[in-house]
Amino acid sequence: MSQQGDRFSGHQDDWWGQLYDDSTGDTGPAPASDTLDDRFASAAGTVGQDAARENGPREKNASRPSARPEARTPWEPPSALSPDPVAFPPTPKPPADPPGPPAVPSKPAADTPKQPAVPPQPAPGPTAPESPSPDAPSGMPSPDVPSDPPSPDVPSDTPPPDAPSGTPPPPPLPCTPPPVDYIGSGPPTYDPEPTALPPADPDHLADLVPDTALDGARFGSCTLRAVSARGDSARFRGEPRRDCLLSARFGTGDQALVLVAMATGRRGTPGAHRAAAEACHWIGRAVGRSHLRLGEDIRSARRGELKSGLQRLTDRSLGKLRAGAAAQGADPEEYTADLRCLLLPADPDCRIRVFFGVGAGGLFRLRDGEWQDIEPRAADTADTAGEPVVGFGSLPSETPEGDRLTMDLGITTPPSPYEPALEPPRSPFLFRASVARPGDTLLLCSAGLADPLRDEPELAEHLTARWSTGEVPGLTAFLADTLVRVKGYADDRTAAAVWEA
């Protein structure tokens, strides 16, 4: 074997030994360049072109089934070592993001006439890889076919990403205006954020009321948002919130009934916040115990029975509130509250909404972009009180002897000597049953929001723009909408809004 691992060829081995023999002295730096390429050229000339071709590439590739042709770029002519021209495999596609260089035509062979140059395009883009021409095996160059330059951003072999689908775009939804802090010519007198906490009694910590209460739900075809917050005046003076909010669901499934109750204690009365809380709890307990019959009457649209029964429930609740005033050392005429309630059936097929209550506040409906004040008047409800409800709740409709009973909800007649008589409230009872339409927004609120909503048209316009977009606001957005301040109105605000799907 020779030092290169090839077969013996005497002349070549002698040359190799003489070139790298240790006995040969160093002659110093060569006058000309002595690189590896120069030595290879000298060796090729010594042994001859045929010997280098036989002993070099073919010997090394003898174990392979076939020798791979010499690699070259598409525009280079075939090498002298390759007797026949070979078609090149397709070049991988360039990436779509960076624009590639302009396409370069295939370079003709030395004996091919030179083609005229094609003037460059003004804005070349990435070009698709060239596929081999059917004339490639014959060695004939394919003629250049002129084509429009592709878009610089989209590859020529892919369709545009935003091709028209044939359907017109949907109309844009109405834009919701941003929330505001106040309405009017100037800001209110008080700060917009709470300043002082109310005083606390270490023995009655249950009487503490948070500054703000926020609630919401979705059931049937309704979405509910409810909030109760201290007014600017109470926040500045460190007084507790006199408004109370109660939202409760009684029952399950389509038979469930949702109650939203809000109460406001009398201004300047000690323990006014306790009176409001007790009023909500009393009415909630009474409605919860009778929710099955109430729900049935609502779905059956029994207006007379509903009004009569709810009036007795309200009288009972507020009467017990005043009866307990003596135990707290308060005046029964002062230890009371304004009470307003909504009954919402969970059945999606029932769109009857029932309002009832006593005292100041407001009932509004936003329909077709306009506010409607639907607060019932006392004169209207007094003429339609209806007959006493028989068998309302868990009481039987008649005695075993056949005598009919009226619904007294435990109120004894005549009054028991052991329990003082519960007088009805001094304010007239309010009742309204209405049928909601899809897209309506029903708003029940205390006087703290009802008064500025009636007196300040700008506040009504702002809420109309905020709530007429077809989207129900979230809890925080609803809180911001209902707390938009108006100069001269600093009372507590409690509101419950119902969006109809």
PDB file of all heavy atoms in Angstrom, residues 265-284:
ATOM      1  N   GLY A 265     -83.390  53.939  55.039  1.00  0.00           N
ATOM      2  CA  GLY A 265     -83.803  54.411  56.352  1.00  0.00           C
ATOM      3  C   GLY A 265     -84.027  55.914  56.373  1.00  0.00           C
ATOM      4  O   GLY A 265     -83.528  56.654  55.505  1.00  0.00           O
ATOM      5  N   ARG A 266     -84.781  56.367  57.373  1.00  0.00           N
ATOM      6  CA  ARG A 266     -85.095  57.791  57.487  1.00  0.00           C
ATOM      7  C   ARG A 266     -83.846  58.596  57.817  1.00  0.00           C
ATOM      8  O   ARG A 266     -83.026  58.203  58.644  1.00  0.00           O
ATOM      9  CB  ARG A 266     -86.158  58.003  58.561  1.00  0.00           C
ATOM     10  CG  ARG A 266     -87.509  57.404  58.213  1.00  0.00           C
ATOM     11  CD  ARG A 266     -88.165  58.183  57.092  1.00  0.00           C
ATOM     12  NE  ARG A 266     -89.441  57.599  56.695  1.00  0.00           N
ATOM     13  CZ  ARG A 266     -90.600  57.899  57.278  1.00  0.00           C
ATOM     14  NH1 ARG A 266     -90.645  58.745  58.300  1.00  0.00           N
ATOM     15  NH2 ARG A 266     -91.713  57.345  56.851  1.00  0.00           N
ATOM     16  N   ARG A 267     -83.749  59.749  57.172  1.00  0.00           N
ATOM     17  CA  ARG A 267     -82.604  60.620  57.378  1.00  0.00           C
ATOM     18  C   ARG A 267     -82.626  61.182  58.810  1.00  0.00           C
ATOM     19  O   ARG A 267     -83.669  61.588  59.320  1.00  0.00           O
ATOM     20  CB  ARG A 267     -82.630  61.767  56.378  1.00  0.00           C
ATOM     21  CG  ARG A 267     -81.392  62.672  56.419  1.00  0.00           C
ATOM     22  CD  ARG A 267     -81.636  63.948  55.615  1.00  0.00           C
ATOM     23  NE  ARG A 267     -82.016  63.639  54.248  1.00  0.00           N
ATOM     24  CZ  ARG A 267     -81.155  63.445  53.255  1.00  0.00           C
ATOM     25  NH1 ARG A 267     -79.859  63.527  53.511  1.00  0.00           N
ATOM     26  NH2 ARG A 267     -81.585  63.177  52.044  1.00  0.00           N
ATOM     27  N   GLY A 268     -81.460  61.211  59.439  1.00  0.00           N
ATOM     28  CA  GLY A 268     -81.328  61.772  60.781  1.00  0.00           C
ATOM     29  C   GLY A 268     -81.845  60.885  61.895  1.00  0.00           C
ATOM     30  O   GLY A 268     -81.893  61.328  63.053  1.00  0.00           O
ATOM     31  N   THR A 269     -82.236  59.656  61.602  1.00  0.00           N
ATOM     32  CA  THR A 269     -82.746  58.740  62.613  1.00  0.00           C
ATOM     33  C   THR A 269     -81.622  57.821  63.071  1.00  0.00           C
ATOM     34  O   THR A 269     -80.961  57.192  62.223  1.00  0.00           O
ATOM     35  CB  THR A 269     -83.911  57.913  62.058  1.00  0.00           C
ATOM     36  OG1 THR A 269     -84.954  58.799  61.629  1.00  0.00           O
ATOM     37  CG2 THR A 269     -84.446  56.959  63.110  1.00  0.00           C
ATOM     38  N   PRO A 270     -81.380  57.714  64.390  1.00  0.00           N
ATOM     39  CA  PRO A 270     -80.358  56.760  64.858  1.00  0.00           C
ATOM     40  C   PRO A 270     -80.742  55.339  64.471  1.00  0.00           C
ATOM     41  O   PRO A 270     -81.879  54.910  64.631  1.00  0.00           O
ATOM     42  CB  PRO A 270     -80.355  56.961  66.375  1.00  0.00           C
ATOM     43  CG  PRO A 270     -80.934  58.327  66.594  1.00  0.00           C
ATOM     44  CD  PRO A 270     -81.930  58.525  65.498  1.00  0.00           C
ATOM     45  N   GLY A 271     -79.782  54.623  63.974  1.00  0.00           N
ATOM     46  CA  GLY A 271     -80.036  53.248  63.540  1.00  0.00           C
ATOM     47  C   GLY A 271     -80.833  53.144  62.261  1.00  0.00           C
ATOM     48  O   GLY A 271     -81.484  52.109  62.023  1.00  0.00           O
ATOM     49  N   ALA A 272     -80.794  54.175  61.423  1.00  0.00           N
ATOM     50  CA  ALA A 272     -81.548  54.120  60.164  1.00  0.00           C
ATOM     51  C   ALA A 272     -81.048  52.999  59.259  1.00  0.00           C
ATOM     52  O   ALA A 272     -81.839  52.381  58.533  1.00  0.00           O
ATOM     53  CB  ALA A 272     -81.439  55.465  59.445  1.00  0.00           C
ATOM     54  N   HIS A 273     -79.751  52.698  59.295  1.00  0.00           N
ATOM     55  CA  HIS A 273     -79.234  51.619  58.459  1.00  0.00           C
ATOM     56  C   HIS A 273     -79.727  50.256  58.942  1.00  0.00           C
ATOM     57  O   HIS A 273     -79.942  49.349  58.146  1.00  0.00           O
ATOM     58  CB  HIS A 273     -77.705  51.653  58.442  1.00  0.00           C
ATOM     59  CG  HIS A 273     -77.079  51.454  59.786  1.00  0.00           C
ATOM     60  ND1 HIS A 273     -77.124  52.395  60.782  1.00  0.00           N
ATOM     61  CD2 HIS A 273     -76.396  50.390  60.311  1.00  0.00           C
ATOM     62  CE1 HIS A 273     -76.492  51.950  61.861  1.00  0.00           C
ATOM     63  NE2 HIS A 273     -76.046  50.733  61.593  1.00  0.00           N
ATOM     64  N   ARG A 274     -79.970  50.117  60.281  1.00  0.00           N
ATOM     65  CA  ARG A 274     -80.527  48.867  60.785  1.00  0.00           C
ATOM     66  C   ARG A 274     -81.983  48.699  60.359  1.00  0.00           C
ATOM     67  O   ARG A 274     -82.429  47.584  60.046  1.00  0.00           O
ATOM     68  CB  ARG A 274     -80.403  48.817  62.302  1.00  0.00           C
ATOM     69  CG  ARG A 274     -78.984  48.610  62.804  1.00  0.00           C
ATOM     70  CD  ARG A 274     -78.981  48.273  64.277  1.00  0.00           C
ATOM     71  NE  ARG A 274     -79.519  49.373  65.085  1.00  0.00           N
ATOM     72  CZ  ARG A 274     -78.781  50.333  65.615  1.00  0.00           C
ATOM     73  NH1 ARG A 274     -77.454  50.338  65.397  1.00  0.00           N
ATOM     74  NH2 ARG A 274     -79.320  51.285  66.345  1.00  0.00           N
ATOM     75  N   ALA A 275     -82.737  49.791  60.364  1.00  0.00           N
ATOM     76  CA  ALA A 275     -84.143  49.713  59.922  1.00  0.00           C
ATOM     77  C   ALA A 275     -84.225  49.280  58.460  1.00  0.00           C
ATOM     78  O   ALA A 275     -85.095  48.466  58.084  1.00  0.00           O
ATOM     79  CB  ALA A 275     -84.820  51.068  60.133  1.00  0.00           C
ATOM     80  N   ALA A 276     -83.333  49.811  57.608  1.00  0.00           N
ATOM     81  CA  ALA A 276     -83.343  49.417  56.198  1.00  0.00           C
ATOM     82  C   ALA A 276     -82.992  47.947  56.034  1.00  0.00           C
ATOM     83  O   ALA A 276     -83.618  47.222  55.234  1.00  0.00           O
ATOM     84  CB  ALA A 276     -82.371  50.295  55.414  1.00  0.00           C
ATOM     85  N   ALA A 277     -81.995  47.476  56.797  1.00  0.00           N
ATOM     86  CA  ALA A 277     -81.612  46.066  56.692  1.00  0.00           C
ATOM     87  C   ALA A 277     -82.732  45.155  57.175  1.00  0.00           C
ATOM     88  O   ALA A 277     -83.022  44.120  56.551  1.00  0.00           O
ATOM     89  CB  ALA A 277     -80.331  45.823  57.486  1.00  0.00           C
ATOM     90  N   GLU A 278     -83.408  45.521  58.273  1.00  0.00           N
ATOM     91  CA  GLU A 278     -84.491  44.681  58.772  1.00  0.00           C
ATOM     92  C   GLU A 278     -85.676  44.657  57.805  1.00  0.00           C
ATOM     93  O   GLU A 278     -86.331  43.617  57.647  1.00  0.00           O
ATOM     94  CB  GLU A 278     -84.933  45.186  60.141  1.00  0.00           C
ATOM     95  CG  GLU A 278     -83.903  44.952  61.242  1.00  0.00           C
ATOM     96  CD  GLU A 278     -84.368  45.488  62.586  1.00  0.00           C
ATOM     97  OE1 GLU A 278     -85.540  45.920  62.678  1.00  0.00           O
ATOM     98  OE2 GLU A 278     -83.565  45.495  63.541  1.00  0.00           O
ATOM     99  N   ALA A 279     -85.947  45.769  57.156  1.00  0.00           N
ATOM    100  CA  ALA A 279     -87.042  45.784  56.185  1.00  0.00           C
ATOM    101  C   ALA A 279     -86.765  44.833  55.025  1.00  0.00           C
ATOM    102  O   ALA A 279     -87.660  44.096  54.571  1.00  0.00           O
ATOM    103  CB  ALA A 279     -87.262  47.210  55.681  1.00  0.00           C
ATOM    104  N   CYS A 280     -85.526  44.822  54.540  1.00  0.00           N
ATOM    105  CA  CYS A 280     -85.179  43.904  53.455  1.00  0.00           C
ATOM    106  C   CYS A 280     -85.256  42.455  53.913  1.00  0.00           C
ATOM    107  O   CYS A 280     -85.723  41.573  53.176  1.00  0.00           O
ATOM    108  CB  CYS A 280     -83.785  44.228  52.927  1.00  0.00           C
ATOM    109  SG  CYS A 280     -83.668  45.763  51.956  1.00  0.00           S
ATOM    110  N   HIS A 281     -84.817  42.186  55.123  1.00  0.00           N
ATOM    111  CA  HIS A 281     -84.832  40.813  55.612  1.00  0.00           C
ATOM    112  C   HIS A 281     -86.253  40.316  55.850  1.00  0.00           C
ATOM    113  O   HIS A 281     -86.580  39.161  55.563  1.00  0.00           O
ATOM    114  CB  HIS A 281     -83.996  40.712  56.885  1.00  0.00           C
ATOM    115  CG  HIS A 281     -82.543  40.944  56.644  1.00  0.00           C
ATOM    116  ND1 HIS A 281     -81.641  41.231  57.664  1.00  0.00           N
ATOM    117  CD2 HIS A 281     -81.808  40.961  55.491  1.00  0.00           C
ATOM    118  CE1 HIS A 281     -80.426  41.400  57.154  1.00  0.00           C
ATOM    119  NE2 HIS A 281     -80.509  41.236  55.839  1.00  0.00           N
ATOM    120  N   TRP A 282     -87.129  41.190  56.371  1.00  0.00           N
ATOM    121  CA  TRP A 282     -88.509  40.770  56.609  1.00  0.00           C
ATOM    122  C   TRP A 282     -89.222  40.455  55.301  1.00  0.00           C
ATOM    123  O   TRP A 282     -89.922  39.445  55.185  1.00  0.00           O
ATOM    124  CB  TRP A 282     -89.271  41.857  57.386  1.00  0.00           C
ATOM    125  CG  TRP A 282     -89.011  41.857  58.857  1.00  0.00           C
ATOM    126  CD1 TRP A 282     -88.406  42.834  59.586  1.00  0.00           C
ATOM    127  CD2 TRP A 282     -89.372  40.833  59.796  1.00  0.00           C
ATOM    128  NE1 TRP A 282     -88.349  42.497  60.918  1.00  0.00           N
ATOM    129  CE2 TRP A 282     -88.939  41.268  61.072  1.00  0.00           C
ATOM    130  CE3 TRP A 282     -90.012  39.600  59.694  1.00  0.00           C
ATOM    131  CZ2 TRP A 282     -89.121  40.513  62.222  1.00  0.00           C
ATOM    132  CZ3 TRP A 282     -90.199  38.833  60.823  1.00  0.00           C
ATOM    133  CH2 TRP A 282     -89.760  39.288  62.072  1.00  0.00           C
ATOM    134  N   ILE A 283     -89.070  41.326  54.307  1.00  0.00           N
ATOM    135  CA  ILE A 283     -89.762  41.082  53.047  1.00  0.00           C
ATOM    136  C   ILE A 283     -89.146  39.878  52.328  1.00  0.00           C
ATOM    137  O   ILE A 283     -89.845  39.111  51.645  1.00  0.00           O
ATOM    138  CB  ILE A 283     -89.753  42.343  52.146  1.00  0.00           C
ATOM    139  CG1 ILE A 283     -90.772  42.203  51.025  1.00  0.00           C
ATOM    140  CG2 ILE A 283     -88.376  42.604  51.581  1.00  0.00           C
ATOM    141  CD1 ILE A 283     -92.195  42.138  51.479  1.00  0.00           C
ATOM    142  N   GLY A 284     -87.844  39.701  52.468  1.00  0.00           N
ATOM    143  CA  GLY A 284     -87.207  38.538  51.862  1.00  0.00           C
ATOM    144  C   GLY A 284     -87.689  37.240  52.470  1.00  0.00           C
ATOM    145  O   GLY A 284     -87.917  36.249  51.748  1.00  0.00           O
TER     146      GLY A 284
END
